[in-house]
Amino acid sequence: MANFEALQRKNFRRSLLLVAALFAVLTALVYAVGTFIGGVSSGVLTAFAVVFSAGSSALSWWQSDRLVLAMTKAKIAEPERAPQLHNVVEEVAIAAGLPKPRVAVVDDPAPNAFATGRDPDRAVVAVTTGLLERMDRDELQAVVAHEMAHVANRDTLMMSVAAATAGVIALVGDFAFRLARGSARGGRSRKGGGALLLPVAALAPFAAGLLKAALSRSREGLADATAVAFTRNPAALRSALGKLAADSTVVRARSSSVAHLWIECPLDLSSPLNRLYSTHPPITERIAALWRLEGGAGAPPPTPGYAPDHRDAGAPVRGFGLLVASGALFASGLSAGAYSGVVAAIGQLCMFASPLLAFAAYWRLGKTPAGVRWLPLTRLALLISGAIVAQRLGSVGMLAVGAMLIVLLAGRRRGTGSGTPPQVSADVLSSAVHALDARSAASGPAPKNGVLTDAPVKNTELESWAAAASAKWVKWTIGIAAVVFLTPAIALGLTEINFEIFKIFFGSIGLAVLAPLGPIGLAVLALPIVAVVMVVRRRIKSRRARKDLPSPRASTGVPD
Amino acid sequence: MELVLIAVTLVAVLLIGVALYNKLVRLKNAVAEGFAQIDVQLQRRNDLIPNLVETVKGYASHEREALEAVITARNQGVNATTTAEKISADNAITGALRQLFALAEAYPDLKASTNFLALQEELAATENKLAFARQRYNDQVRDLNTAIETIPTRFVAGIANATKAEYFETDEAARAVPQVRF
């Protein structure tokens, strides 16, 4: 049993954390550039980027109402033209204790809505004609309440700040990337920062984009909770979201730059890139959260006309974001290592936080069917970052952590713990199974695949798929873990040859610290890489052989 | 040195006291504003009712009893001055309106009248606004009462002249009809 106040607090805390992370990425990047070109010139570069990006974002925030209305082709509607809409907006404004915003209508058959404006006094709430047609009064009220929640939470300002920060990161990152590449080509080496600058410069804008999207998702969750605080009617918002999900029309005047404003993501989610940078949490998750607010237990009742498919049941966006954040922290930690004093201490903290985030990503990805596919990569990240941290801890600490990790992974494989196979959360599973059941009922029993022997075979295709992914990879990751942990232990005392080119190569794949191991260490290191390549090849082959894997789209077309 | 410390502590205590005092005054004013918002909506509903009665009369003149009940309740609302009177009139009007709209079901011509439909939407919206204004008022009363009872605002409640406010409670019959809709 949850209440909306707790949900509001949770989403608010998450937003704070994400904003902090965004600034951390910026700081790390600026420091990395600083190591490379020196304090003054990096300061000038950053100041230029801040002025340029923050200036344009501030301008678009200041003019947000006019700009967004023009971009979405929304027209301000007079009270005489849309009396009910005006009434509903006024009702919600009273509930929110805000001045009544202006009301706009977008002539578009796709049901959707958005809010914008630089402060509550200049806010605009816009809905499409499709929304007005399809929603009853309570649902319209719920949608408007969600938009008013954005106004009350000042999300236009919040996302402008995020966009400005991400813009600065992109600018500095782009410049730093050219700088680092140019110096690698020229063979110059300044303060040894080049090897670290390249991966940081390449990763930072990517991480900033993901963090921005994650921030947008947390603001959506917050807006849902706040909307319920206004109307005290979670059922209406749930059924409105159900109707939005059931409708497959996509807003015509869409643009990714205003995507975060809409109540439902206006972009086509069949593109994986759009899903990764998704500005909205999966709609099934939002519906489930509202169902819990209503006091319902278990999975929410199915929405008419909407069968949640694979994609929205398990978009692994959050876990993937954590994984990238872990990588970004790792790179930041590496780049700060070139410094001393406070910066180095922060770098150490980043370094130690990296495996924690990787572990969070592992836990998170294991919960969604589509995320399970990313578990091997996550394990690898966990192992590498864990190995580096262990190395910093000294050889004794390293061996201890290594042993712990191996025991942990082995335990997972044997099925002694509670975590075999990676747990798919009950409601995600049931909705995905719902879709799969519909499919197998139409095409006969699903063919079993013979790959999994040591994992318990469950009665759903989905679970056996997850088990297959984990069981096979566990063996290999244990092998790699052993190599990764033994290699530095052996090589620690060996000669330290600083091959700049190796540093750049390994730095770019997040292994920079392993480069100083010298030629012998590198030779040993090549072993697991060869192993990984072999496994990937074999995996691709076996994937081709198994044609029974549910493709994400296959489950949608079958009538229930 | 010690004198400085004492002075700094005194100033800090004073500043905190001022902040707490201001917080209580803000909460008190929010409650007053919340009640004013309820009043606005009650007034709006009182203004809409004569129009509605005229429209219904044109199609269903022999439903005297229901029409008179609405008018009586409305007059009670117009003349109400104290909070208790306002609350009781509010409940009476909501009940009488519900009755009237239920009777209107039997008159297809009335239900098809655009004038009636517009009035019905206006009244439904006003009922919602009233409900939300009450909800917000009650939230503000809760915040004020909590502040008066809890430490540290409790210590300055007397100085700020803040007293606990009454909730705007509705009876069960009114709560069963959050809005009029057919």
Side-chain angles (χ1 to χ4, degrees):
Chain A
M1 182 61 203
N3 71 51
F4 56 83
E5 279 163 344
L7 196 62
Q8 270 178 298
R9 279 197 296 275
K10 184 182 145 204
N11 278 298
F12 185 73
R13 277 199 302 270
R14 187 179 290 163
S15 295
L16 275 186
L17 210 67
L18 287 167
V19 170
L22 206 50
F23 280 106
V25 171
L26 178 61
T27 314
L29 181 61
V30 170
Y31 273 126
V33 175
T35 27
F36 195 71
I37 59 172
V40 180
S41 20
S42 76
V44 171
L45 167 71
T46 313
F48 168 76
V50 166
V51 168
F52 191 79
S53 174
S56 67
S57 289
L59 201 70
S60 72
W61 167 67
W62 194 252
Q63 293 291 327
S64 55
D65 43 351
R66 253 183 269 169
L67 276 174
V68 172
L69 290 186
M71 276 169 96
T72 52
K73 300 195 175 73
K75 302 262 185 307
I76 297 288
E78 300 308 318
E80 298 78 40
R81 270 191 56 220
Q84 191 179 56
L85 179 60
H86 268 271
N87 276 336
V88 167
V89 169
E90 203 176 331
E91 285 161 22
V92 179
I94 287 171
L98 294 173
K100 185 189 167 199
R102 281 170 291 163
V103 178
V105 173
V106 185
D107 187 16
D108 198 305
N112 220 330
F114 68 82
T116 184
R118 67 172 181 265
D119 57 37
D121 286 325
R122 289 173 189 79
V124 182
V125 168
V127 301
T128 61
T129 46
L131 187 92
L132 290 174
E133 273 164 33
R134 244 158 282 198
M135 302 285 160
D136 68 25
R137 204 178 191 286
D138 282 355
E139 288 161 351
L140 181 65
Q141 191 186 59
V143 170
V144 169
H146 173 97
E147 298 312 329
M148 283 300 285
H150 278 309
V151 174
N153 296 333
R154 302 244 176 175
D155 283 341
T156 314
L157 176 61
M158 183 66 135
M159 291 318 292
S160 295
V161 171
T165 316
V168 173
I169 291 170
L171 271 176
V172 178
D174 184 62
F175 185 74
F177 194 73
R178 282 157 204 275
L179 210 69
R181 219 178 36 183
S183 98
R185 227 182 258 144
R188 285 181 301 160
S189 167
R190 289 193 217 173
K191 298 181 192 172
L196 310 168
L197 186 57
L198 197 65
V200 173
L203 266 177
F206 185 53
L210 285 173
L211 282 172
K212 200 177 117 204
L215 181 66
S216 170
R217 288 196 295 274
S218 88
R219 299 311 281 186
E220 286 302 319
L222 179 61
D224 280 350
T226 312
V228 173
F230 291 163
T231 64
R232 312 282 157 102
N233 190 355
L237 185 55
R238 183 169 60 84
S239 83
L241 286 178
K243 277 191 184 176
L244 290 173
D247 191 287
S248 57
T249 27
V250 173
V251 176
R252 264 185 273 133
R254 63 185 182 273
S255 154
S256 59
S257 57
V258 289
H260 61 270
L261 297 167
W262 298 88
I263 184 171
E264 184 202 19
C265 186
L267 304 173
D268 185 8
L269 287 182
S270 53
S271 147
L273 199 68
N274 280 351
R275 260 179 290 150
L276 188 60
Y277 283 108
S278 175
T279 52
H280 290 62
I283 216 150
T284 37
E285 243 176 61
R286 295 169 71 186
I287 288 178
L290 290 164
W291 175 244
R292 284 193 293 276
L293 284 186
E294 286 171 53
T303 316
Y306 171 57
D309 71 10
H310 204 101
R311 281 174 300 151
D312 37 27
V317 277
R318 246 175 241 168
F320 203 72
L322 281 171
L323 187 57
V324 174
S326 158
L329 274 185
F330 187 72
S332 313
L334 284 186
S335 66
Y339 280 89
S340 57
V342 185
V343 183
I346 295 171
Q348 290 283 353
L349 275 180
C350 288
M351 218 58 176
F352 283 95
S354 170
L356 293 180
L357 274 188
F359 193 77
Y362 182 83
W363 180 76
R364 186 87 220 175
L365 286 169
K367 285 173 91 176
T368 57
V372 168
R373 274 181 296 181
W374 293 98
L375 283 185
L377 185 68
T378 319
R379 280 207 197 91
L380 202 66
L382 195 58
L383 286 173
I384 292 170
S385 55
I388 304 305
V389 169
Q391 195 190 17
R392 300 244 164 136
L393 290 174
S395 49
V396 179
M398 186 172 65
L399 285 174
V401 174
M404 242 164 62
L405 274 176
I406 289 174
V407 167
L408 187 89
L409 292 172
R412 278 194 168 253
R413 176 171 156 256
R414 284 287 124 220
T416 47
S418 56
T420 359
Q423 291 293 298
V424 179
S425 81
D427 43 356
V428 168
L429 189 66
S430 68
S431 54
V433 165
H434 174 73
L436 288 171
D437 280 350
R439 202 173 72 98
S440 54
S443 63
K448 287 262 184 296
N449 56 58
V451 186
L452 34 130
T453 43
D454 56 353
V457 179
K458 294 275 168 67
N459 51 354
T460 68
E461 209 174 332
L462 188 76
E463 272 188 295
S464 54
W465 182 30
S470 86
K472 211 168 94 189
W473 276 88
V474 161
K475 290 173 196 156
W476 283 102
T477 36
I478 289 175
I480 295 167
V483 176
V484 167
F485 280 96
L486 289 177
T487 313
I490 298 161
L492 254 177
L494 294 185
T495 42
E496 201 174 309
I497 305 168
N498 243 339
F499 284 127
E500 193 70 16
I501 185 74
F502 283 127
K503 268 183 132 188
I504 291 174
F505 174 67
F506 284 107
S508 62
I509 54 169
L511 289 166
V513 172
L514 291 178
L517 296 175
I520 303 170
L522 290 177
V524 183
L525 231 157
L527 228 65
I529 293 171
V530 171
V532 168
V533 170
M534 273 171 59
V535 173
V536 168
R537 280 185 58 189
R538 199 185 290 179
R539 189 173 152 79
I540 290 170
K541 245 192 251 166
S542 69
R543 254 180 169 243
R544 275 204 202 114
R546 285 181 295 148
K547 288 247 166 86
D548 57 85
L549 277 183
S551 92
R553 293 220 56 96
S555 54
T556 51
V558 180
D560 207 336
Chain B
M1 189 60 208
E2 269 175 19
L3 270 176
V4 173
L5 267 179
I6 290 167
V8 165
T9 319
L10 276 180
V11 168
V13 166
L14 200 70
L15 283 178
I16 293 168
V18 167
L20 295 177
Y21 179 90
N22 287 349
K23 186 191 170 191
L24 271 173
V25 171
R26 263 198 303 278
L27 287 172
K28 226 169 64 171
N29 289 342
V31 167
E33 188 235 305
F35 196 81
Q37 182 64 254
I38 298 179
D39 238 14
V40 168
Q41 298 310 326
L42 286 172
Q43 190 59 45
R44 166 98 181 123
R45 193 171 59 176
N46 290 342
D47 294 346
L48 281 170
I49 285 172
N51 263 332
L52 177 77
V53 169
E54 283 308 308
T55 310
V56 175
K57 250 189 204 162
Y59 294 90
S61 51
H62 50 277
E63 299 287 0
R64 285 201 83 81
E65 215 174 298
L67 286 168
E68 266 164 18
V70 171
I71 294 167
T72 317
R74 187 245 172 197
N75 289 342
Q76 188 192 336
V78 171
N79 296 326
T81 46
T82 67
T83 306
E85 278 171 15
K86 278 176 183 165
I87 293 174
S88 111
D90 171 35
N91 290 332
I93 295 174
T94 305
L97 278 177
R98 186 171 58 144
Q99 193 108 37
L100 187 67
F101 280 113
L103 285 171
E105 280 296 282
Y107 299 88
D109 289 348
L110 177 61
K111 271 171 61 192
S113 146
T114 46
N115 202 8
F116 178 74
L117 286 176
L119 275 170
Q120 191 176 310
E121 162 62 28
E122 277 309 304
L123 275 163
T126 311
E127 289 283 346
N128 276 351
K129 287 172 197 168
L130 203 48
F132 286 144
R134 268 193 228 116
Q135 172 186 303
R136 191 168 165 75
Y137 171 78
N138 286 338
D139 283 354
Q140 281 158 344
V141 169
R142 183 195 62 188
D143 289 348
L144 176 68
N145 291 354
T146 309
I148 287 173
E149 281 177 40
T150 52
I151 295 165
T153 30
R154 186 180 188 135
F155 301 136
V156 290
I159 310 167
N161 205 10
T163 46
K164 287 215 267 173
E166 289 288 321
Y167 288 104
F168 198 114
E169 312 241 26
T170 55
D171 67 15
E172 282 306 312
R175 210 171 291 164
V177 200
Q179 53 178 285
V180 187
R181 182 157 50 86
F182 293 105

